[in-house]
Amino acid sequence: QPVRIVFENPDLMQHNLVLVAQGADEEVGMLADQMAAQPDGMAKNFIPASAKVLQATPLVNPNGRAELQFNAPKEPGQYGYLCTFPGHWRVMRGVLMVE
């Protein structure tokens, strides 16, 4: 099924939205945290190069928005989404249910 997510950032700092494979939230979050020490982390939008990253917006500026359009994963279950700006994934996260 087609999925369309509109991500609006009302905060005062940048955020992104990264959809990950089932059970990969912490792994991808930790990889994103490690990117804070890399000189190109910001240029890569703090999105780790991992096959477990299924979809991602770039970093969205305050009062900005980004849109994702994709087909839902074929396997039913819970797919985590999180902000991978270093440290944010621990509190800025949720679940996309696929039936």
Side-chain angles (χ1 to χ4, degrees), residues 26-95:
E26 288 196 26
E27 179 181 336
V28 172
M30 296 292 277
L31 289 171
D33 284 349
Q34 293 171 9
M35 293 181 78
Q38 299 172 358
D40 62 349
M42 178 72 86
K44 293 181 177 179
N45 295 287
F46 296 111
I47 301 168
S50 169
K52 294 183 180 177
V53 172
L54 304 180
Q55 299 289 329
T57 69
L59 287 170
V60 177
N61 289 324
N63 298 311
R65 63 183 269 163
E67 186 173 314
L68 289 175
Q69 293 187 20
F70 58 95
N71 287 325
K74 293 181 181 179
E75 186 177 329
Q78 297 183 7
Y79 292 80
Y81 61 86
L82 50 146
C83 174
T84 58
F85 193 95
H88 288 195
W89 67 272
R90 289 174 178 84
V91 293
M92 294 186 68
R93 59 198 298 177
V95 176

